[in-house]
Amino acid sequence: MKLEDIALFKDEQIKKLYLENLNTNPEDFILKNSKKYSHINLKPIAEQIKNYRKAKEKFPVLAKNPLILYDKIAIQQASSQLAGEFKATLFSGDKFIDLTGGMGLDTIFISKNFKENYYCEIDFDKVTLFKYNLDELKINNINIYCGDSIEYLKQFPDNYFDLIYIDPARRDDVKRFIKLELSQPNLLEIQDLLLQKSKYVLVKLAPAFDVDEIVKNVKNITHIYAIEYNYEMKEILVVLKNQINNSIKLVAKDLKSDFIFEGNYDEIKKNIIFEKDIINANYTVQLHPSVIKLHLTKTFSDLNNLLCFNLNSNISLGNDKLANHRNYKVIDIFDFDEDILKSKIKKLKIEKSAIITSNIDIDVEKLRKKLKIKDSNKTAIILTTSNSNKAICIIGTKID
């Protein structure tokens, strides 16, 4: 969001116009008001109307104040309210600093648990937007620094902070690569400095990062959290402590439900036995992707008496339903073949069905056309692969 757009919303007439049109379609807003307000640039107002609607879903607490402003790109990239609130449950203390402030949403949530707080951001426009929003929210316990946060951090005494938070961005020229050394700032280059200045460091990473690579390259890890919302991975959180740790706790968490599962990195079970007793299962259980991300598939399946197909598949079989999971009553299980599947669909008189895939390369829309079935959330055709890379098909009905 540009400086002139932020300045626009300091005008009382603009605020009134904006508030009166929060429920108006942004395009209709411009058409309706372009003649009357020909002297005003209406596009930033229309943009904020659009952003406000997204904010109501993603940050309902903040959106209670409709005068909070949002940057179009930042609102897409920022953590949700649930993610911010979850981070805030992990730490408390005296001094906290966010080295990559951005819109400052995580700063706002985490800072509630600390007495002395710092927000750092090199982009002046983002800093100006953050200051504007703090005024609207009447928050006055956060110190703001605009500039190089790493150089700023060096000015503080060792062990000054209880928590440093950092959300490294992938550089624009290498966004297709998922490597820690290509992040900005470079986490691998500054991790010693971070641990020198703070008791704890909380690092937010994109869900595409590999857990084994994180453990291999990052020092003094105590916890790795895989955060999802309703079966969609959202972020990875890595906790570092300024002491050498003997073990790393893995935590899989779904923000929508009560699901949480913990394991230990050193005790990950990577051996898998598949295909015995496969036909006798009553239910198909769709495991949470956070469990798969942390390589806890076998550990979780063993503890819950499930038969897992593949370490990289979130499809398991069991004799009972599993709370906080998607469960399907098994109708049939067989080696996947399109002709056999067509025959079974015809026999079962299935005209509508969801098609769910996990760890298998299949074009769902092409398959749907071949099968001539419409979408539905009641019946499911589930496709995955076994540990021996054999394609498996399960037909089931969803259990609410």
Side-chain angles (χ1 to χ4, degrees), residues 19-63:
L19 292 173
E20 288 174 347
N21 287 276
L22 282 177
N23 297 317
T24 305
N25 180 283
E27 288 74 19
D28 292 342
F29 164 76
I30 292 178
L31 290 172
K32 185 176 73 173
N33 294 284
S34 57
K35 289 184 178 180
K36 183 178 179 180
Y37 297 100
S38 58
H39 60 293
I40 296 173
N41 182 6
L42 297 177
K43 287 184 179 180
I45 305 173
E47 188 67 49
Q48 281 309 308
I49 293 172
K50 191 182 296 184
N51 291 343
Y52 173 72
R53 293 179 179 182
K54 293 178 183 176
K56 282 202 296 185
E57 297 177 6
K58 200 169 184 180
F59 325 110
V61 169
L62 297 180

Side-chain angles (χ1 to χ4, degrees), residues 9 32 62 67 73 99-100 114 126 185 232 345 381:
F9 281 85
K32 185 176 73 173
L62 297 180
L67 289 173
I73 297 175
L99 296 178
T100 49
F114 292 84
K126 289 179 182 177
E232 183 181 349
I345 286 174
I381 296 167

Side-chain angles (χ1 to χ4, degrees), residues 234-325:
K234 293 298 182 181
E235 56 194 54
I236 294 174
L237 301 176
V238 185
V239 179
L240 288 60
K241 189 177 181 181
N242 62 0
Q243 298 174 358
I244 296 175
N245 302 290
N246 296 321
S247 64
I248 299 173
K249 182 176 283 189
L250 305 175
V251 183
K253 172 63 181 171
D254 174 33
L255 296 174
K256 187 179 181 182
S257 69
D258 293 329
F259 176 77
I260 187 166
F261 182 71
E262 297 182 0
N264 192 296
Y265 184 78
D266 295 328
E267 298 173 1
I268 290 174
K269 297 180 180 179
K270 292 194 174 181
N271 295 322
I272 183 168
I273 300 173
F274 168 73
E275 288 160 270
K276 65 177 183 179
D277 303 324
I278 180 174
I279 304 302
N280 297 323
N282 295 321
Y283 294 94
T284 294
V285 179
Q286 197 171 356
L287 301 185
H288 283 279
S290 53
V291 170
I292 313 302
K293 188 67 196 179
L294 295 174
H295 308 317
L296 293 171
T297 312
K298 187 69 164 62
T299 306
F300 182 84
S301 296
D302 287 351
L303 285 173
N304 290 280
N305 297 315
L306 297 172
L307 183 66
C308 58
F309 285 86
N310 187 301
L311 289 175
N312 297 312
S313 171
N314 73 336
I315 305 300
S316 290
L317 296 172
N319 290 319
D320 297 296
K321 295 181 290 183
L322 199 59
N324 294 317
H325 284 74

Side-chain angles (χ1 to χ4, degrees), residues 139-171:
I139 294 174
N140 54 17
N141 69 331
I142 300 174
N143 299 288
I144 297 173
Y145 175 76
C146 182
D148 188 322
S149 61
I150 304 306
E151 292 303 315
Y152 183 59
L153 180 65
K154 292 176 182 178
Q155 299 175 22
F156 290 90
D158 291 351
N159 302 310
Y160 186 80
F161 292 100
D162 296 292
L163 176 66
I164 291 175
Y165 176 63
I166 184 168
D167 177 7
R170 280 183 281 167
R171 297 201 328 253

